[in-house]
Amino acid sequence: MSVLFFHTMRYKVQDPRNASNDRFVLSKGHAAPILYSVWAEAGFLQEAELLNLRKIDSVLEGHPVPRQAFTDVATGSLGQGLGAACGMAYTGKFFDRASYRVYCLLGDGELSEGSVWEAMAFAGFYKLDNLVAIFDINRLGQSDPAPLQHRVEIYQKRCEAFGWHAIIVDGHSVEELCKAFGQAKHQPTAIIAKTFKGKGISGVEDKESWHGKPLPKNMAEQVIQEIDDKIQNKKKLSPALPEEDAPIVNVRNIKMPSPPTYKVGEKWATRKAYGVALAKLGHANDRVIALDGDTKNSTFSELFKKEHPNRYIECYIAEQNMVSIAVGCATRDRTVAFASTFATFFTRAFDQIRMAAISESNINLCGSHCGVSIGEDGPSQMGLEDLSMFRAIPTATVFYPSDAVATEKAVEIAANTKGICFIRTSRPENPVIYNNNEDFHIGQAKVVLKSKDDQVTVIGAGVTLHEALAAAEQLRKEKVFIRVIDPFTIKPLDKKTILENARATKGRIITVEDHYHEGGIGEAVCAAVVGEPGITVNRLAVSHVPRSGKSAELLKMFGIDKDAIVQAVKMAVSKSRNAE
């Protein structure tokens, strides 16, 4: 850390987030005290503040978080720092075309995480020669030695196999580290530093059971004195300044260059409308970028790639890393990142998404192929848990557009919304129901069908909204009228509109969704109306693990098609009549 911060890295101490500064990611976030110490040594933090470590009124938390001006991404859930560093390095090399470099310090324990090797593969493939990973091979994990212990040659071979220039050094040798950091190659560099935990401390060095434990007071005082005695030169060190060549960018207030151009009644899949909208948004700002996990011909992010090939990042089938790359690309407001894959595959990246929220990241994720309506591909491809997952993220906005116009508006709004934005898109083609000049807002639902004689309020989204409209048409012939609501955003949900319309329909609500019962639209609506007198909610949703079949067959099998809605409405009305 001393060599990195006071010999190698170039940055402005009093402006830690300067766009031209070298970046540093402490992937082994539990080592936060050393990070805070170097910023105190550099002069950004007051030394006295270090004594407030982990206190509730201090910015110096137990693991790094972006509340600290010198921290770009939160770490501590191990194995994620390198992916974010790759995103920063990719941005520096291909988007900023600037000279800043990115350094990432990893512990040997986290090298068991598969996400590390997804990042290693990414960096090797794209030859991110502005990226340096430092492996702290101190042999010891939290409760046991790491699997390879000090066999640094194996780490070196693994790194080389992933396309990295790998150097083994004595991690306690300032001279060797200075020399290693100075080696420039046309590929990423891995510095494999053999170290000993507690080096130089009698009774602690290379011993187990010291992870996360402070030294006893008397031992600490003695050790501090021993270290102090070894310091030969107490001259204040200052880092070199960066070359200020990162361009000034603006990612605020990005507007579509023109309104949507759809015709009411035309059939469009919202997944395709997403691709069209993203490609269009790319013309509005050259900092809009797209990422995908080898599903671009299904999510339609390929339309963005076709029009903006230099701003598309193929992440291949590594969804955890794709989310981390997006987070890295979006740091310091350098880009507006949209990452897409099948909705269900984001479930394997839930930890990365959770950490993105802790990182105060502004990333946009689009999950296509949601629900049983995708048909024959079967349950492994069906997003049925995604609403639940994203609703649980504190900084998330969850969009569920029901036609092409709504999808285009969702993309535009997401680009300008802080936090994690999730856009849920569908495979089936459904009619456009909104005019091109329709206005959309977060947390504002649309009442798409209404009459003074409505007896039940039906809430659907995506394919189920169209099923609800078809059910309304069928019921109308039998002189039964329903009100149909499109929520547009599931989080936040438009509680006011839902309650107003429920009260106008005798308190009866039916929700219908192409998602499991748990955590979806039905539960969101229930949470919104809980405690409200006279309101009843009947939830139609996918009740168990589905199977392959035609889209219409599956909607019918799981009771979320128009016929099921018709039956639910009739039952609600007859129950009420019987009660009267």
Side-chain angles (χ1 to χ4, degrees), residues 515-529:
H515 187 275
Y516 288 136
H517 278 88
E518 292 76 16
I521 296 170
E523 288 199 350
V525 170
C526 286
V529 303

Side-chain angles (χ1 to χ4, degrees), residues 156-421:
Q156 183 180 40
K157 286 175 184 171
R158 287 183 180 180
C159 292
E160 288 170 347
F162 279 82
W164 289 58
H165 173 56
I167 313 161
I168 295 171
V169 297
D170 172 358
H172 302 290
S173 167
V174 170
E175 189 178 337
E176 284 189 37
L177 287 165
C178 287
K179 188 178 172 186
F181 282 127
Q183 290 188 30
K185 300 283 180 179
H186 296 298
Q187 61 190 134
T189 297
I191 294 175
I192 300 158
K194 183 178 180 180
T195 60
F196 292 89
K197 187 178 280 192
K199 172 78 170 173
I201 304 174
S202 176
V204 174
E205 181 177 326
D206 200 32
K207 293 284 192 289
E208 293 182 39
S209 302
W210 280 100
H211 181 90
K213 292 180 183 174
L215 297 175
K217 192 170 185 296
N218 60 338
M219 185 190 278
E221 287 170 356
Q222 182 187 334
V223 169
I224 290 166
Q225 187 59 54
E226 286 175 12
I227 292 170
D228 204 57
D229 291 343
K230 289 178 183 176
I231 298 172
Q232 295 169 11
N233 187 343
K234 299 203 176 182
K235 179 184 157 190
K236 191 81 176 167
L237 296 173
S238 297
L241 293 174
E243 187 177 337
E244 297 201 49
D245 56 0
I248 295 169
V249 301
N250 181 12
V251 296
R252 304 270 180 256
N253 198 30
I254 301 173
K255 299 295 179 194
M256 285 288 186
S258 59
T261 55
Y262 296 102
K263 290 178 184 168
V264 171
E266 271 184 346
K267 287 197 167 184
W268 278 80
T270 53
R271 63 173 175 144
K272 187 171 185 180
Y274 166 78
V276 170
L278 192 57
K280 191 170 168 182
L281 193 72
H283 292 290
N285 188 300
D286 65 3
R287 286 280 149 169
V288 173
I289 65 167
L291 306 86
D292 205 294
D294 193 30
T295 56
K296 58 185 171 291
N297 54 344
S298 293
T299 62
F300 282 94
S301 64
E302 67 178 4
L303 300 179
F304 182 94
K305 182 186 178 184
K306 188 177 177 183
E307 294 188 32
H308 315 283
N310 295 331
R311 286 188 272 143
Y312 172 83
I313 307 175
E314 180 54 70
C315 297
Y316 299 98
I317 304 168
E319 293 84 6
Q320 294 182 33
N321 190 56
M322 178 177 73
V323 172
S324 292
I325 298 293
V327 169
C329 288
T331 56
R332 305 195 188 189
D333 290 334
R334 302 311 294 168
T335 69
V336 176
F338 282 82
S340 51
T341 184
F342 287 16
T344 197
F345 300 146
F346 277 120
T347 59
R348 76 194 311 158
F350 183 58
D351 193 20
Q352 279 74 9
I353 296 163
R354 180 185 74 89
M355 289 301 293
I358 298 170
S359 294
E360 300 173 24
S361 186
N362 303 316
I363 57 169
N364 308 292
L365 306 175
C366 177
S368 71
H369 292 65
C370 64
V372 299
S373 58
I374 72 164
E376 290 85 349
D377 280 348
S380 69
Q381 312 298 295
M382 296 170 175
L384 290 160
E385 310 87 359
D386 51 304
L387 290 179
S388 175
M389 179 173 79
F390 280 99
R391 283 183 61 230
I393 299 293
T395 67
T397 301
V398 180
F399 296 88
Y400 193 174
S402 294
D403 81 344
V405 173
T407 304
E408 184 161 316
K409 298 292 177 127
V411 168
E412 182 180 41
I413 295 168
N416 296 285
T417 300
K418 285 199 174 297
I420 313 297
C421 287

Side-chain angles (χ1 to χ4, degrees), residues 535-579:
I535 304 287
T536 59
V537 181
N538 180 19
R539 298 178 297 134
L540 307 182
V542 179
S543 55
H544 56 268
V545 175
R547 49 159 301 121
S548 293
K550 289 187 171 66
S551 180
E553 292 172 335
L554 289 163
L555 292 175
K556 188 173 202 65
M557 176 182 277
F558 287 96
I560 56 173
D561 68 344
K562 67 174 183 178
D563 294 336
I565 297 168
V566 167
Q567 286 304 115
V569 168
K570 286 180 176 177
M571 192 176 292
V573 172
S574 68
K575 263 187 191 174
S576 179
R577 282 176 183 156
N578 291 338

Side-chain angles (χ1 to χ4, degrees), residues 5 41 107 128 143 224-225 290 292 300 330 452 486 495 500 546 577 580:
F5 275 81
E41 182 67 25
L128 299 181
S143 62
I224 290 166
Q225 187 59 54
D292 205 294
F300 282 94
K452 63 178 174 51
D486 172 9
K495 177 177 177 176
E500 279 175 4
R577 282 176 183 156
E580 286 168 9

